[in-house]
Amino acid sequence: MTLHLLRSEDSWVDLWSFDLASQGARLLEIGQHGQFLGASAIERSSRFASTTQAQRFLASRAALWLVLAEYGVGYQELEYGPHGKPSLGISMGFNLSRTGDVAVVAVASADVGVDIEQRRSVDLTEPIVAEVGSTLRRTGWPPRLGHDRLQAWTVMEAWTKYHGLSLHRLLDEREVASRMIDELESRTVQLVSLALSAYICGTMCTGSGAAVGYESGSRLL
């Protein structure tokens, strides 16, 4: 990923990326030392089928708090909205996504949603996926990237996380799906295409016109 930092006092969003394969052990160490891993995170890690997946989960949580500390936010237990979106009762927005050995943390002046996925063959048959792909083609987004179904799925995930909605509502309720299509077409929201590697695609969804910056998590380790 090309690293640069563009900031605006009024509207901004920063995206931090972490390589959990090379940085995971250090993140776990920092998380345990700085008491960034609360009881709820440790309990959730116990649900994973493998030790590796549990460690990746905890490392990504440590990465989240390491990033938030850069913005003056101290550790506290996360609160969750009715559809599972985490919050801290602060003016900034934040969101975390992980796939395989990569984690990203988005921090913004307002709400933000981010989703990354490993590129793979998937059978996404929900009609809304095709509708989102068609909408993206009409609006000319994202530039220089294919409009495959997995990319469309990351748009859906990022949009629901931005609004604090559940993906199930988007899939099951036409009213929610129509709202998303309207916002994509009118560019009420800003979509940022993420190509973290040849194997990972993603989308960040934030307020229209926000200045976007990219940072490597290695700067914090």
Side-chain angles (χ1 to χ4, degrees):
M1 176 184 288
T2 301
L3 301 180
H4 60 282
L5 195 60
L6 302 173
R7 297 298 298 270
S8 165
E9 290 185 3
D10 297 328
S11 184
W12 55 267
V13 54
D14 296 340
L15 185 78
W16 298 76
S17 62
F18 293 83
D19 179 352
L20 301 181
S22 62
Q23 299 171 341
R26 177 58 179 154
L27 284 168
L28 283 174
E29 180 184 350
I30 291 173
Q32 291 162 354
H33 230 340
Q35 298 181 327
F36 288 161
L37 302 177
S40 61
I42 293 173
E43 191 278 327
R44 286 186 64 183
S45 72
S46 68
R47 305 176 197 172
F48 287 90
S50 72
T51 301
T52 298
Q53 286 300 311
Q55 289 178 337
R56 292 288 186 265
F57 169 78
L58 290 174
S60 66
R61 280 303 184 91
L64 169 65
W65 288 108
L66 193 61
V67 168
L68 289 177
E70 285 289 291
Y71 299 82
V73 179
Y75 175 77
Q76 55 191 287
E77 284 288 347
L78 293 173
E79 300 175 2
Y80 292 89
H83 302 293
K85 184 173 183 177
S87 67
L88 289 170
I90 59 177
S91 59
M92 291 189 307
F94 66 94
N95 206 221
L96 166 69
S97 184
R98 178 180 64 87
T99 185
D101 291 334
V102 176
V104 293
V105 177
V107 183
S109 56
D111 291 327
V112 64
V114 64
D115 182 61
I116 57 174
E117 302 285 346
Q118 289 181 306
R119 288 196 176 275
R120 61 196 187 280
S121 297
V122 289
D123 185 21
L124 297 174
T125 58
E126 292 85 353
I128 185 62
V129 179
E131 187 175 355
V132 169
S134 176
T135 301
L136 297 177
R137 283 191 291 274
R138 288 199 306 273
T139 60
W141 186 95
R144 301 182 300 280
L145 286 180
H147 302 282
D148 58 35
R149 285 176 174 256
L150 188 60
Q151 183 77 49
W153 184 265
T154 68
V155 170
M156 293 164 53
E157 288 267 22
W159 184 87
T160 55
K161 292 170 78 174
Y162 168 72
H163 282 292
L165 300 172
S166 69
L167 189 62
H168 289 298
R169 285 195 63 190
L170 175 60
L171 296 175
D172 296 341
E173 299 178 24
R174 183 60 212 177
E175 180 181 354
V176 177
S178 296
R179 175 187 173 188
M180 179 185 64
I181 296 299
D182 288 344
E183 290 192 0
L184 297 184
E185 289 184 331
S186 64
R187 298 184 184 272
T188 303
V189 294
Q190 178 177 202
L191 300 178
V192 180
S193 178
L194 307 177
L196 302 180
S197 74
Y199 309 103
I200 296 177
C201 66
T203 300
M204 184 165 60
C205 182
T206 187
S208 180
V212 180
Y214 300 94
E215 279 282 9
S216 169
S218 61
R219 183 165 75 78
L220 303 181
L221 299 175

